[in-house]
Each structure stands twice: as C-alpha cells, then as structure tokens.
Amino acid sequence: MKVGQYIYTKLAATSAVTALVGNRIYPVFIAQEAALPAIAYTVENRPTDAMKDKKADHDTATVTFTFWADASQGADAYSALDSVDLAVRNALDFVTGTAGSVTVEACKYVGSIDGMDADSMTLSRTATYQFITRN
C-alpha cells in the first residue's frame, strides 16, 4: 500500500501546512538537525481476512503523525503544535480523492496525545488517522 505517497503529496500541496513546516514532512522520523516545527508519519497496514471489509483492491491503514516543535520556545511551541495539528486535520479529515497516484476513499481523525522529549527539548503531538485507499 502506498498511502505514504498520498500523505506527502497532499500535505506538500496544502499551503496551510507548508506555511508552518515548509517541506519538513518525513516518513517514519525526522533528522536530528531538522528545523522545527516538522512532521513525521508512520503507516501501519496489517489487515487480516477477518478484519477486511472491502474488496481486494482496497486497503485500510492506520497512519500516525507526530508533530514536533522546539520546547525552548515555551508557549509558542505548544501553539505551533496546535497550528500544525489543525492544518493537517483540515487537509485530511474526511478527505477523498487522488494525490501521488493513490486514491483515498475515506479518511478520519481518530485522536491525539501530547508529549515531550526532555533530551532533545522538543514538544510533540501524536495524531492518528484511519485511511481507506483503492489500489
């Protein structure tokens, strides 16, 4: 499944997202020296026959986004997380269509949680979405 191609293409084409993070949209992790705020995303696609409720040319994926901000910016860092989270949610929640040669038939926001990495002095927000794509 190639939902990652859809995600990068869709977010990189969304001006509200790029105004906040530029092209700092990464699969799996961000480089240690990357400027913040930034976005990393991971894709989990492990349907079993018992779970599958669409035809063979459809897949369901859980995508976890982690939004990162520099904690040394204090309240501004948390504000940056809110802004990036909202921009991504506006770009993806209940979206349909094709981007990056991948067709999304449904996407929904599931929830989020805040976090902090004291070693790197970063704040994070992890948001989860469910996608149904057609291959």
Side-chain angles (χ1 to χ4, degrees), residues 3 17 23 28 39 50-51 64-65 70 81 83 102 120 130:
V3 73
V17 174
N23 64 351
V28 186
I39 300 170
M51 294 172 45
T64 303
F65 293 89
D70 184 349
L81 289 180
S83 297
V102 177
S120 64
Q130 295 268 265

Side-chain angles (χ1 to χ4, degrees), residues 3-135:
V3 73
Q5 287 175 234
Y6 176 89
I7 290 165
Y8 182 84
T9 302
K10 178 73 173 174
L11 294 182
T14 302
S15 61
V17 174
T18 58
L20 298 166
V21 301
N23 64 351
R24 297 181 305 275
I25 305 166
Y26 305 100
V28 186
F29 68 95
I30 62 170
Q32 188 172 3
E33 65 278 351
L36 299 177
I39 300 170
Y41 59 91
T42 58
V43 177
E44 180 181 348
N45 178 29
R46 296 183 187 165
T48 63
D49 289 340
M51 294 172 45
K52 196 140 168 89
D53 60 358
K54 297 279 185 187
K55 296 185 334 183
D57 65 345
H58 287 74
D59 282 316
T60 301
T62 300
V63 178
T64 303
F65 293 89
T66 305
F67 313 125
W68 296 96
D70 184 349
S72 68
Q73 295 175 336
D76 290 341
Y78 197 77
S79 231
L81 289 180
D82 284 340
S83 297
V84 173
D85 187 14
L86 181 60
V88 169
R89 191 165 179 181
N90 286 335
L92 298 178
D93 199 19
F94 291 101
V95 73
T96 60
T98 302
S101 302
V102 177
T103 300
V104 168
E105 292 194 347
C107 176
K108 70 177 181 177
Y109 170 79
V110 177
S112 65
I113 188 168
D114 292 342
M116 179 179 175
D117 183 329
D119 292 335
S120 64
M121 286 302 296
T122 54
L123 296 180
S124 65
R125 176 165 301 146
T126 302
T128 304
Y129 289 76
Q130 295 268 265
F131 286 81
I132 297 175
T133 60
R134 185 179 58 214
N135 301 323

